[in-house]
Amino acid sequence: MAETKPALGYIGIGFMGKPMALRLLDAGYRVTIWGRSAEKLAPVAAAGAEVAASPADVARASDILFTCVSDTEAVEVVVFGDNGIAMGAAAGKILVDMSSIRPEAARDMAARLREETGMGWIDTPVSGGVPGAEQGTLAVMAGGSEADFETVRPVVAHLAGRFTLMGPNGAGQATKLVNQVIVGCTVAVLAEATKLAQDAGIDATRIPQALAGGRADSLTLQQFLPKMATGNFAPESHIRTMLKDLNAVQQQARSTNTPMPMTAMAAELHRLMAARGHGEADGTALMKLYRDEPV
Amino acid sequence: MAETKPALGYIGIGFMGKPMALRLLDAGYRVTIWGRSAEKLAPVAAAGAEVAASPADVARASDILFTCVSDTEAVEVVVFGDNGIAMGAAAGKILVDMSSIRPEAARDMAARLREETGMGWIDTPVSGGVPGAEQGTLAVMAGGSEADFETVRPVVAHLAGRFTLMGPNGAGQATKLVNQVIVGCTVAVLAEATKLAQDAGIDATRIPQALAGGRADSLTLQQFLPKMATGNFAPESHIRTMLKDLNAVQQQARSTNTPMPMTAMAAELHRLMAARGHGEADGTALMKLYRDEPV
């Protein structure tokens, strides 16, 4: 593996997985993919990826196998289900799970995969959204062994601006929860800030440039607020995904008795949107809670 | 004024005013200052500023006069009180008020000063904190006439990375309220996120580097979270100042019937700290609400 490029696999060709798989192909790797929707696989196959018949077959074809699926349960199925990754696993291979799942589930599944098959596991949830995935500037927070971290680092370098080992398995996921606390709360804050500006007679589309470089500046301000100000909620993320993460935060916080009043409020606002049938909408659509039009 | 450098005045030599006045002196301007505390004026006088006997005298000595004081009432006193700026005001002079005050108060006082004395007024609240003031990278949000904005722009350029005209008098202050919604909420969010990380066994001091470039990244994350993670709450801002601004936000939001659930929660957390005697503490000390030690 040191002399030649490792063979890669990628399972989970969605908003985030598609641009990442394309970047790995661009970087000259052999990439094997699998997914339930042939439609989603097609553009990546057209760019040179090989399509396997099952997650087990992807594992057989790969030295390093990326997964980026929707939640803990989806990871369990793709790894330990019928024709799952575990069935094609072997010592020396490493699973790089970019999904955002519960920290203790990552810890438990990593231990199980290692015990049963010898295959390594590193939890590597990401932040940076679709623009970050397309540009290869994601922040990737890792939990796992130092050896696995060093082995996958040259490959992850094509996807990430930052790749930081935070601790053993689960520590990457716990760091992602911290990330989601900040992002989920910020989306809710930006929605009400945008409405405050509009109600005060200010052209809210000018806010991001006016606040650039100040203490309110952030990637979310520059990327989300224009969508909120114009009412263009083109989906690049799902409210139900954020709600899933905020639920995981609340579960984790309950287990350590950590008070999270701001997160609790943000979670309920996301839940309100999901309850109104907007779970598939982009996070910026939270703005609909504050607009005069029917939600 | 086009040929020679305008004579400047600066009233309000505090956390923010001191580094700004020093930058203007460094840029070669003549700067006249005034303040109640000789101790605070001393380092700026030592750097070459002239100390006047009253705000009126600063106005007499200045073409462009900056003010940066604590709140609406303080601006009223320094402009319209005994020996206030209005007594030394004249047509052609411009007051550049960097204080954060209520938008409608800025609008009313600007109209009154112009009617009574002919002196211009531009509201220019800032964001970026002490580091931004020291480095001249503040975000400055302006409300006023285009002519006044263009006149003061070359001077403000020594203080600001961004100087954006948002609308007529009051629009700068309304934009600052939007800024404070974001910053005040973010401080509260970062405090609970830091505690979540620590309770999950993560070294929270590594969070800023891990999330750099991702969607949770911001100046506040990089500047505030390390203070929270280490418990070093060295004051560069006051909780009572933020609470004053969040109160102004709530007053403004009530007047336009704008729902602000996240801001309401953040305001009450700041109020809780003030009620416990921590009004003079730095915003990062909000962390004390989440730590085991006595508050």
Side-chain angles (χ1 to χ4, degrees):
Chain A
M1 249 172 71
E3 258 70 43
T4 59
K5 282 191 166 187
L8 306 183
Y10 207 110
I11 294 176
I13 304 295
F15 279 136
M16 299 293 290
K18 179 184 160 187
M20 285 197 262
L22 290 174
R23 287 190 65 86
L24 294 173
L25 286 165
D26 273 354
Y29 290 95
R30 196 187 124 207
V31 182
T32 306
I33 60 177
W34 177 85
R36 281 191 181 78
S37 155
E39 196 187 342
K40 287 186 181 173
L41 298 179
V44 183
E50 293 169 47
V51 178
S54 69
D57 280 349
V58 180
R60 287 181 192 106
S62 310
D63 300 309
I64 295 174
L65 197 174
F66 292 85
T67 47
C68 188
V69 297
S70 59
D71 55 22
T72 302
E73 291 63 38
V75 174
E76 272 171 350
V77 168
V78 87
V79 179
F80 296 108
D82 287 347
N83 286 311
I85 290 166
M87 298 195 60
K93 295 177 187 281
I94 301 175
L95 175 61
V96 183
D97 182 32
M98 306 196 119
S99 318
S100 292
I101 68 174
R102 291 194 304 274
E104 78 283 5
R107 203 161 46 231
D108 294 348
M109 287 194 282
R112 180 179 165 192
L113 186 68
R114 197 171 291 111
E115 274 165 35
E116 293 183 2
T117 72
M119 184 168 182
W121 180 303
I122 181 161
D123 45 298
T124 58
V126 309
S127 181
V130 173
E134 288 174 346
Q135 293 152 33
T137 58
L138 293 167
V140 181
M141 308 138 237
S145 74
E146 193 127 5
D148 287 351
F149 178 78
E150 291 303 334
T151 303
V152 305
R153 190 214 283 271
V155 183
V156 176
H158 296 286
L159 311 174
R162 293 279 169 154
F163 185 41
T164 311
L165 183 62
M166 295 299 289
N169 281 131
Q173 296 296 349
T175 306
K176 176 64 188 276
L177 292 187
V178 172
N179 187 85
Q180 293 303 76
V181 163
I182 298 171
V183 178
C185 287
T186 302
V187 171
V189 169
L190 290 176
E192 63 188 59
T194 301
K195 189 59 159 58
L196 179 76
Q198 291 175 335
D199 289 350
I202 290 173
D203 176 0
T205 62
R206 308 187 63 193
I207 300 266
Q209 69 181 74
L211 304 191
R215 278 217 153 130
D217 198 11
S218 64
L219 284 176
T220 37
L221 177 78
Q222 299 299 329
Q223 293 176 359
F224 291 176
L225 198 142
K227 295 177 72 172
M228 291 173 170
T230 58
N232 161 27
F233 309 126
E236 348 163 9
S237 66
H238 291 316
I239 282 174
R240 66 164 166 71
T241 305
M242 177 57 78
L243 183 56
K244 179 252 307 176
D245 291 344
L246 294 179
N247 286 341
V249 168
Q250 292 190 299
Q251 183 174 337
Q252 169 80 18
R254 270 195 299 274
S255 77
T256 52
N257 217 19
T258 310
M260 308 206 76
M262 299 294 289
T263 304
M265 181 67 80
E268 296 315 313
L269 292 167
H270 281 79
R271 205 178 318 283
L272 196 53
M273 284 295 286
R276 288 181 170 206
H278 295 294
E280 302 298 312
D282 190 67
T284 53
L286 234 75
M287 187 67 198
K288 290 186 176 187
L289 292 175
Y290 304 90
R291 288 163 62 99
D292 297 317
E293 67 200 37
V295 172
Chain B
M1 249 169 69
E3 258 70 44
T4 59
K5 282 190 163 183
L8 306 183
Y10 208 110
I11 293 176
I13 303 295
F15 279 135
M16 298 294 289
K18 179 184 160 186
M20 285 198 260
L22 290 174
R23 285 190 66 86
L24 294 172
L25 286 165
D26 272 355
Y29 289 95
R30 196 187 125 206
V31 183
T32 306
I33 61 178
W34 177 86
R36 281 191 182 79
S37 153
E39 197 187 340
K40 287 186 181 172
L41 299 179
V44 183
E50 293 170 47
V51 178
S54 70
D57 280 350
V58 180
R60 287 183 192 106
S62 310
D63 301 310
I64 296 174
L65 197 174
F66 292 86
T67 47
C68 188
V69 297
S70 57
D71 56 21
T72 302
E73 291 63 39
V75 174
E76 271 173 349
V77 167
V78 87
V79 178
F80 296 110
D82 286 349
N83 285 312
I85 290 166
M87 297 195 61
K93 295 175 187 283
I94 302 176
L95 176 60
V96 183
D97 181 32
M98 304 196 120
S99 318
S100 292
I101 67 175
R102 292 195 302 275
E104 78 283 6
R107 203 161 47 232
D108 294 349
M109 286 193 283
R112 180 178 164 194
L113 186 68
R114 197 172 290 110
E115 273 166 36
E116 292 184 2
T117 72
M119 185 169 182
W121 179 304
I122 182 161
D123 46 295
T124 58
V126 308
S127 182
V130 172
E134 287 174 345
Q135 294 152 30
T137 58
L138 294 167
V140 181
M141 309 136 232
S145 74
E146 195 126 5
D148 287 351
F149 178 77
E150 292 302 333
T151 302
V152 305
R153 188 214 284 272
V155 183
V156 175
H158 297 286
L159 310 175
R162 293 279 171 155
F163 185 41
T164 311
L165 184 61
M166 296 299 290
N169 281 131
Q173 296 296 349
T175 305
K176 177 64 188 276
L177 292 187
V178 172
N179 186 85
Q180 294 302 77
V181 163
I182 298 170
V183 177
C185 287
T186 302
V187 171
V189 169
L190 290 176
E192 63 188 58
T194 301
K195 188 62 162 55
L196 179 75
Q198 292 176 335
D199 289 350
I202 292 174
D203 176 1
T205 62
R206 308 186 63 190
I207 299 268
Q209 71 182 70
L211 304 190
R215 278 219 153 130
D217 198 11
S218 63
L219 284 176
T220 36
L221 178 77
Q222 299 299 330
Q223 293 176 0
F224 291 177
L225 198 141
K227 295 178 72 173
M228 291 172 170
T230 58
N232 162 25
F233 309 126
E236 351 163 5
S237 67
H238 291 316
I239 282 175
R240 67 165 165 72
T241 305
M242 178 57 78
L243 183 56
K244 179 253 306 179
D245 291 343
L246 294 178
N247 285 342
V249 167
Q250 292 190 299
Q251 182 174 338
Q252 169 79 18
R254 271 195 299 275
S255 77
T256 52
N257 218 20
T258 309
M260 307 205 76
M262 299 294 289
T263 304
M265 182 67 81
E268 297 314 314
L269 292 168
H270 281 79
R271 207 179 317 284
L272 196 51
M273 284 294 287
R276 289 180 169 208
H278 296 294
E280 302 298 312
D282 190 65
T284 53
L286 234 75
M287 188 67 196
K288 291 187 176 189
L289 291 174
Y290 304 90
R291 288 161 64 97
D292 298 316
E293 65 199 39
V295 171

